[in-house]
Amino acid sequence: ILITCNMNQRKCVEEVYTLLNEYGDHTYGLEKFTDKDQKAPGSEGEDDDVEAALKKEVGDIKASTEMSLRRFQLVESRANNIVFIRTLGIEPDILMHNILQDVYKTKKTQVILRMLPISGTCKAFLEDMKKYAETFLEPWFKVPSKGMFQIVYKSQNSSHEREVIKELGGIVCTLNSENKPDLTNPQYMVVVEIIKAVCCLSVVKDYMLKRKFNLQEVITSSKDPSQLNSKQGNGKEGKLEAADKSDQNNTAEGKNNQQVPENTEVLGQTKPSNPQVVNEGGAKPELASQATEGSKSNENDLS
Protein backbone atom coordinates (compact mmCIF):
# COMPACT_ATOMS: atom_id res chain seq x y z
CA ILE A 1 0.00 0.00 0.00
CA LEU A 2 1.42 3.38 -1.06
CA ILE A 3 0.77 6.19 1.39
CA THR A 4 1.48 9.90 1.01
CA CYS A 5 1.47 12.41 3.82
CA ASN A 6 2.00 16.10 4.39
CA MET A 7 5.35 16.66 6.09
CA ASN A 8 4.87 14.69 9.34
CA GLN A 9 6.05 11.29 8.09
CA ARG A 10 6.59 9.67 11.48
CA LYS A 11 3.10 10.58 12.61
CA CYS A 12 1.83 9.24 9.30
CA VAL A 13 3.48 5.86 9.90
CA GLU A 14 1.87 5.64 13.33
CA GLU A 15 -1.56 6.45 11.90
CA VAL A 16 -1.10 3.94 9.08
CA TYR A 17 -0.23 1.07 11.43
CA THR A 18 -3.15 1.89 13.71
CA LEU A 19 -5.59 2.06 10.80
CA LEU A 20 -4.33 -1.05 8.99
CA ASN A 21 -4.12 -3.20 12.10
CA GLU A 22 -7.65 -2.24 13.14
CA TYR A 23 -9.22 -2.97 9.76
CA GLY A 24 -6.94 -5.94 9.10
CA ASP A 25 -8.15 -7.61 12.30
CA HIS A 26 -11.75 -6.74 11.52
CA THR A 27 -11.58 -8.03 7.94
CA TYR A 28 -9.24 -11.01 8.25
CA GLY A 29 -9.32 -11.84 11.95
CA LEU A 30 -6.69 -11.28 14.60
CA GLU A 31 -3.11 -11.64 13.46
CA LYS A 32 -1.49 -14.81 14.74
CA PHE A 33 1.96 -14.54 16.30
CA THR A 34 4.47 -17.29 16.90
CA ASP A 35 5.36 -17.95 20.50
CA LYS A 36 8.77 -16.43 21.16
CA ASP A 37 9.65 -19.38 23.34
CA GLN A 38 8.82 -21.83 20.58
CA LYS A 39 11.96 -23.31 19.07
CA ALA A 40 12.48 -23.22 15.36
CA PRO A 41 12.49 -26.51 13.47
CA GLY A 42 15.81 -28.29 13.74
CA SER A 43 16.90 -26.42 16.86
CA GLU A 44 16.85 -29.49 19.09
CA GLY A 45 19.73 -31.87 19.47
CA GLU A 46 23.27 -31.62 18.21
CA ASP A 47 24.78 -33.20 15.17
CA ASP A 48 28.49 -33.71 14.62
CA ASP A 49 28.02 -34.09 10.89
CA VAL A 50 29.05 -30.83 9.18
CA GLU A 51 26.53 -31.12 6.35
CA ALA A 52 23.69 -31.82 8.75
CA ALA A 53 24.81 -28.91 10.94
CA LEU A 54 24.75 -26.54 7.95
CA LYS A 55 21.27 -27.70 6.93
CA LYS A 56 20.11 -27.19 10.49
CA GLU A 57 21.50 -23.63 10.53
CA VAL A 58 19.83 -22.77 7.22
CA GLY A 59 16.56 -24.17 8.51
CA ASP A 60 16.84 -22.10 11.68
CA ILE A 61 17.44 -18.93 9.65
CA LYS A 62 14.44 -19.58 7.40
CA ALA A 63 12.22 -20.35 10.36
CA SER A 64 13.38 -17.21 12.14
CA THR A 65 12.58 -15.14 9.03
CA GLU A 66 9.10 -16.63 8.77
CA MET A 67 8.42 -15.87 12.41
CA SER A 68 9.36 -12.21 11.89
CA LEU A 69 6.97 -11.69 8.98
CA ARG A 70 4.05 -9.48 9.90
CA ARG A 71 0.76 -8.77 8.20
CA PHE A 72 1.89 -5.18 7.64
CA GLN A 73 5.55 -4.28 7.30
CA LEU A 74 7.05 -0.84 6.69
CA VAL A 75 9.30 -0.70 3.64
CA GLU A 76 11.74 2.19 3.36
CA SER A 77 10.79 4.27 0.30
CA ARG A 78 13.77 6.66 0.53
CA ALA A 79 11.47 9.48 -0.56
CA ASN A 80 10.08 12.32 1.51
CA ASN A 81 6.42 12.12 2.49
CA ILE A 82 6.09 8.65 0.94
CA VAL A 83 5.37 5.57 3.06
CA PHE A 84 5.16 2.06 1.63
CA ILE A 85 3.61 -0.84 3.53
CA ARG A 86 4.15 -4.43 2.40
CA THR A 87 1.15 -6.65 3.09
CA LEU A 88 1.04 -10.37 3.74
CA GLY A 89 -1.99 -12.60 3.30
CA ILE A 90 -4.50 -9.85 2.51
CA GLU A 91 -5.96 -8.14 -0.54
CA PRO A 92 -5.04 -4.43 -0.37
CA ASP A 93 -7.92 -3.29 -2.59
CA ILE A 94 -10.53 -4.98 -0.38
CA LEU A 95 -8.94 -3.61 2.78
CA MET A 96 -8.81 -0.08 1.35
CA HIS A 97 -12.43 -0.30 0.28
CA ASN A 98 -13.43 -1.09 3.86
CA ILE A 99 -11.31 1.76 5.20
CA LEU A 100 -12.81 4.26 2.78
CA GLN A 101 -16.29 3.12 3.76
CA ASP A 102 -15.70 4.05 7.41
CA VAL A 103 -13.12 6.84 7.35
CA TYR A 104 -15.83 9.09 5.96
CA LYS A 105 -17.65 9.03 9.30
CA THR A 106 -14.91 8.08 11.76
CA LYS A 107 -12.32 10.60 10.48
CA LYS A 108 -9.52 8.62 12.10
CA THR A 109 -6.74 10.16 10.03
CA GLN A 110 -5.01 13.49 10.53
CA VAL A 111 -1.86 13.48 8.41
CA ILE A 112 -2.47 10.68 5.90
CA LEU A 113 -3.34 11.99 2.45
CA ARG A 114 -3.58 9.04 0.05
CA MET A 115 -3.60 5.29 0.61
CA LEU A 116 -3.36 3.59 -2.77
CA PRO A 117 -3.50 -0.23 -2.93
CA ILE A 118 -0.50 -1.43 -4.96
CA SER A 119 -0.70 -4.80 -6.68
CA GLY A 120 2.84 -5.06 -8.04
CA THR A 121 6.21 -3.35 -8.35
CA CYS A 122 9.12 -3.45 -10.78
CA LYS A 123 12.11 -1.36 -11.79
CA ALA A 124 11.18 2.00 -13.27
CA PHE A 125 12.80 1.38 -16.65
CA LEU A 126 10.56 1.18 -19.67
CA GLU A 127 11.70 -2.28 -20.77
CA ASP A 128 11.27 -3.66 -17.24
CA MET A 129 7.84 -2.10 -16.98
CA LYS A 130 6.74 -3.55 -20.32
CA LYS A 131 7.98 -7.02 -19.45
CA TYR A 132 6.35 -6.97 -16.04
CA ALA A 133 3.06 -5.50 -17.28
CA GLU A 134 2.59 -8.31 -19.84
CA THR A 135 1.85 -10.76 -17.03
CA PHE A 136 0.70 -8.33 -14.35
CA LEU A 137 -2.26 -7.06 -16.39
CA GLU A 138 -3.55 -10.50 -17.42
CA PRO A 139 -6.06 -11.02 -14.56
CA TRP A 140 -8.02 -7.93 -15.62
CA PHE A 141 -7.55 -7.76 -19.38
CA LYS A 142 -6.58 -11.13 -20.84
CA VAL A 143 -9.25 -13.16 -22.67
CA PRO A 144 -11.89 -13.89 -21.47
CA SER A 145 -11.53 -10.87 -19.18
CA LYS A 146 -12.01 -7.45 -20.75
CA GLY A 147 -12.91 -3.90 -19.84
CA MET A 148 -12.81 -0.23 -20.65
CA PHE A 149 -9.67 1.28 -19.20
CA GLN A 150 -7.73 4.43 -18.55
CA ILE A 151 -4.08 4.83 -17.58
CA VAL A 152 -2.86 7.48 -15.16
CA TYR A 153 0.82 8.16 -14.64
CA LYS A 154 2.42 10.00 -11.75
CA SER A 155 6.06 10.89 -11.39
CA GLN A 156 8.10 13.91 -10.41
CA ASN A 157 9.37 13.92 -13.96
CA SER A 158 6.68 13.34 -16.58
CA SER A 159 9.01 13.43 -19.60
CA HIS A 160 8.40 9.69 -20.20
CA GLU A 161 4.66 9.86 -19.55
CA ARG A 162 3.46 9.61 -23.15
CA GLU A 163 5.79 6.75 -23.94
CA VAL A 164 4.88 4.74 -20.85
CA ILE A 165 1.13 5.19 -21.34
CA LYS A 166 1.38 4.29 -25.02
CA GLU A 167 3.31 1.09 -24.33
CA LEU A 168 1.09 -0.05 -21.45
CA GLY A 169 -2.04 0.77 -23.42
CA GLY A 170 -0.73 -1.31 -26.29
CA ILE A 171 -0.15 -4.26 -23.96
CA VAL A 172 -3.71 -4.03 -22.62
CA CYS A 173 -5.15 -4.06 -26.13
CA THR A 174 -2.92 -6.97 -27.12
CA LEU A 175 -4.28 -9.10 -24.28
CA ASN A 176 -7.80 -8.71 -25.65
CA SER A 177 -8.86 -6.76 -28.74
CA GLU A 178 -12.10 -5.86 -26.96
CA ASN A 179 -10.24 -3.79 -24.35
CA LYS A 180 -10.84 -0.14 -25.19
CA PRO A 181 -9.71 3.14 -23.63
CA ASP A 182 -12.37 5.25 -21.98
CA LEU A 183 -11.40 8.65 -20.64
CA THR A 184 -14.87 9.42 -19.27
CA ASN A 185 -16.06 6.40 -17.31
CA PRO A 186 -13.50 3.57 -17.41
CA GLN A 187 -14.22 0.26 -15.74
CA TYR A 188 -10.59 -0.09 -14.71
CA MET A 189 -8.01 2.54 -13.87
CA VAL A 190 -4.42 1.43 -14.40
CA VAL A 191 -2.37 3.53 -11.98
CA VAL A 192 1.37 3.96 -12.53
CA GLU A 193 3.28 5.60 -9.68
CA ILE A 194 7.04 6.16 -9.96
CA ILE A 195 8.85 6.34 -6.63
CA LYS A 196 12.51 7.03 -7.33
CA ALA A 197 13.69 3.96 -9.30
CA VAL A 198 10.63 1.84 -8.51
CA CYS A 199 7.44 1.56 -10.54
CA CYS A 200 4.30 0.80 -8.52
CA LEU A 201 1.36 -0.61 -10.49
CA SER A 202 -2.26 -0.96 -9.55
CA VAL A 203 -5.54 -1.73 -11.30
CA VAL A 204 -8.54 -0.37 -9.44
CA LYS A 205 -12.24 0.31 -9.92
CA ASP A 206 -14.11 3.50 -8.99
CA TYR A 207 -10.87 5.47 -8.89
CA MET A 208 -12.60 8.84 -9.25
CA LEU A 209 -15.54 7.90 -7.03
CA LYS A 210 -13.05 6.97 -4.31
CA ARG A 211 -11.37 10.35 -4.71
CA LYS A 212 -8.17 8.80 -6.03
CA PHE A 213 -7.90 7.11 -2.62
CA ASN A 214 -7.31 10.48 -0.97
CA LEU A 215 -8.65 10.01 2.55
CA GLN A 216 -8.85 13.73 3.24
CA GLU A 217 -10.95 14.22 0.12
CA VAL A 218 -13.24 11.37 1.16
CA ILE A 219 -13.65 12.82 4.65
CA THR A 220 -14.54 16.29 3.37
CA SER A 221 -16.72 15.02 0.54
CA SER A 222 -20.40 15.83 0.73
CA LYS A 223 -21.38 12.57 -0.97
CA ASP A 224 -22.89 9.67 0.93
CA PRO A 225 -20.24 6.96 1.57
CA SER A 226 -22.76 4.26 0.73
CA GLN A 227 -22.21 5.22 -2.92
CA LEU A 228 -18.86 3.46 -2.73
CA ASN A 229 -20.86 0.21 -2.81
CA SER A 230 -22.53 1.08 -6.10
CA LYS A 231 -21.73 -0.98 -9.13
CA GLN A 232 -19.22 0.23 -11.68
CA GLY A 233 -20.69 1.68 -14.82
CA ASN A 234 -22.70 4.62 -13.59
CA GLY A 235 -21.60 7.47 -15.82
CA LYS A 236 -22.47 10.10 -13.23
CA GLU A 237 -20.17 8.48 -10.69
CA GLY A 238 -17.31 8.25 -13.14
CA LYS A 239 -17.50 11.98 -13.72
CA LEU A 240 -17.28 13.00 -10.09
CA GLU A 241 -14.72 15.67 -9.50
CA ALA A 242 -11.68 14.11 -7.86
CA ALA A 243 -9.05 16.77 -7.47
CA ASP A 244 -6.26 15.38 -5.30
CA LYS A 245 -5.50 18.22 -2.87
CA SER A 246 -2.08 17.06 -1.76
CA ASP A 247 -1.29 20.48 -0.36
CA GLN A 248 -4.10 20.30 2.17
CA ASN A 249 -2.99 21.54 5.60
CA ASN A 250 -2.51 19.08 8.43
CA THR A 251 -5.31 18.97 10.96
CA ALA A 252 -4.55 18.95 14.68
CA GLU A 253 -2.49 15.94 15.65
CA GLY A 254 -3.98 13.54 18.19
CA LYS A 255 -2.14 11.26 20.55
CA ASN A 256 -1.16 7.91 19.13
CA ASN A 257 0.77 5.40 21.16
CA GLN A 258 1.19 2.94 18.28
CA GLN A 259 4.79 1.74 18.23
CA VAL A 260 6.53 1.87 14.86
CA PRO A 261 8.67 -1.20 14.05
CA GLU A 262 12.34 -0.27 13.83
CA ASN A 263 13.30 -2.82 11.19
CA THR A 264 12.18 -1.84 7.73
CA GLU A 265 12.75 -3.15 4.26
CA VAL A 266 13.81 -1.01 1.32
CA LEU A 267 11.42 -0.44 -1.57
CA GLY A 268 12.97 -1.50 -4.86
CA GLN A 269 12.10 -4.68 -6.64
CA THR A 270 9.42 -5.91 -9.66
CA LYS A 271 -2.28 -0.55 -27.76
CA PRO A 272 -5.67 1.03 -28.30
CA SER A 273 -2.57 1.16 -30.48
CA ASN A 274 -2.11 4.77 -29.49
CA PRO A 275 -4.14 5.51 -26.34
CA GLN A 276 -4.50 9.10 -25.32
CA VAL A 277 -2.26 10.44 -22.58
CA VAL A 278 -4.11 11.16 -19.39
CA ASN A 279 -2.53 12.42 -16.21
CA GLU A 280 -4.13 12.58 -12.79
CA GLY A 281 -4.76 16.27 -12.88
CA GLY A 282 -7.07 15.80 -15.84
CA ALA A 283 -5.00 18.23 -17.94
CA LYS A 284 -4.67 18.13 -21.70
CA PRO A 285 -1.92 15.90 -23.15
CA GLU A 286 0.19 18.84 -24.32
CA LEU A 287 0.36 20.05 -20.74
CA ALA A 288 1.40 16.66 -19.35
CA SER A 289 4.66 17.98 -17.99
CA GLN A 290 2.72 20.42 -15.82
CA ALA A 291 -0.01 18.03 -14.71
CA THR A 292 1.60 15.94 -12.01
CA GLU A 293 -0.54 15.46 -8.94
CA GLY A 294 -0.17 17.91 -6.05
CA SER A 295 1.77 15.49 -3.85
CA LYS A 296 5.05 17.06 -2.67
CA SER A 297 7.14 13.88 -2.82
CA ASN A 298 10.72 14.23 -4.10
CA GLU A 299 10.66 11.28 -6.46
CA ASN A 300 13.63 11.00 -8.83
CA ASP A 301 13.41 10.98 -12.62
CA LEU A 302 12.31 7.82 -14.38
CA SER A 303 15.51 6.32 -15.68
Side-chain angles (χ1 to χ4, degrees):
I1 299 177
L2 180 65
I3 301 100
T4 62
C5 60
N6 197 355
M7 302 305 291
N8 197 335
Q9 190 163 329
R10 181 173 181 80
K11 175 67 174 178
C12 175
V13 172
E14 294 175 352
E15 278 193 0
V16 166
Y17 269 109
T18 300
L19 200 60
L20 292 180
N21 284 328
E22 177 182 344
Y23 283 87
D25 290 345
H26 181 269
T27 306
Y28 298 95
L30 295 177
E31 185 175 7
K32 297 180 180 180
F33 301 96
T34 304
D35 189 349
K36 294 181 180 180
D37 297 329
Q38 180 179 343
K39 293 184 178 180
S43 60
E44 297 181 354
E46 296 183 358
D47 198 328
D48 295 333
D49 184 80
V50 176
E51 183 177 356
L54 289 174
K55 289 182 179 180
K56 169 181 170 295
E57 184 174 354
V58 171
D60 290 346
I61 294 175
K62 289 183 178 179
S64 177
T65 301
E66 291 175 356
M67 290 179 185
S68 65
L69 293 178
R70 297 291 302 275
R71 178 179 283 170
F72 303 108
Q73 177 65 50
L74 177 66
V75 179
E76 182 60 55
S77 68
R78 295 180 177 177
N80 290 339
N81 303 323
I82 299 290
V83 175
F84 195 90
I85 299 293
R86 175 185 57 78
T87 61
L88 178 66
I90 71 166
E91 297 182 55
D93 54 339
I94 294 178
L95 184 65
M96 280 310 306
H97 178 82
N98 293 339
I99 291 176
L100 290 175
Q101 285 286 102
D102 290 347
V103 76
Y104 183 97
K105 48 191 176 184
T106 59
K107 301 181 180 180
K108 294 181 178 180
T109 68
Q110 296 178 340
V111 297
I112 298 173
L113 294 181
R114 297 177 70 215
M115 290 184 70
L116 178 68
I118 299 296
S119 302
T121 61
C122 64
K123 293 181 179 179
F125 299 99
L126 184 58
E127 290 304 316
D128 292 280
M129 294 166 65
K130 288 167 58 179
K131 183 178 180 180
Y132 181 74
E134 289 175 354
T135 54
F136 170 77
L137 296 171
E138 288 183 353
W140 297 276
F141 300 109
K142 187 176 181 179
V143 178
S145 300
K146 62 180 179 179
M148 308 300 284
F149 71 95
Q150 181 178 343
I151 300 175
V152 292
Y153 176 95
K154 181 175 178 289
S155 174
Q156 189 66 29
N157 179 6
S158 54
S159 61
H160 298 276
E161 181 174 3
R162 290 174 179 269
E163 189 176 8
V164 171
I165 291 179
K166 178 181 179 180
E167 293 294 339
L168 294 185
I171 292 173
V172 172
C173 292
T174 299
L175 293 174
N176 189 333
S177 59
E178 295 187 40
N179 294 326
K180 303 294 181 182
D182 186 340
L183 308 186
T184 302
N185 183 30
Q187 180 181 0
Y188 297 107
M189 188 72 77
V190 181
V191 184
V192 183
E193 296 259 356
I194 306 299
I195 308 297
K196 287 189 174 289
V198 178
C199 171
C200 300
L201 291 171
S202 183
V203 179
V204 296
K205 290 185 176 182
D206 300 320
Y207 183 69
M208 293 302 187
L209 180 63
K210 293 175 180 175
R211 307 293 178 179
K212 299 181 182 179
F213 292 88
N214 186 315
L215 271 61
Q216 301 304 322
E217 284 289 302
V218 172
I219 290 174
T220 58
S221 172
S222 60
K223 297 295 181 181
D224 192 310
S226 63
Q227 292 186 15
L228 293 178
N229 279 326
S230 59
K231 296 181 180 180
Q232 182 69 23
N234 188 318
K236 294 182 180 179
E237 295 171 358
K239 296 178 182 178
L240 286 176
E241 180 181 1
D244 188 13
K245 299 181 180 178
S246 301
D247 59 345
Q248 183 173 350
N249 293 331
N250 291 342
T251 57
E253 295 183 11
K255 293 184 179 181
N256 194 325
N257 296 323
Q258 178 73 23
Q259 295 298 317
V260 180
E262 297 180 356
N263 297 327
T264 61
E265 302 174 18
V266 177
L267 178 63
Q269 270 192 289
T270 119
K271 282 172 185 163
S273 300
N274 185 21
Q276 300 184 42
V277 176
V278 177
N279 45 66
E280 294 202 358
K284 296 181 179 179
E286 58 269 24
L287 298 179
S289 62
Q290 301 177 12
T292 55
E293 193 171 345
S295 178
K296 296 183 179 179
S297 61
N298 64 340
E299 303 152 1
N300 289 345
D301 295 346
L302 174 64
S303 300

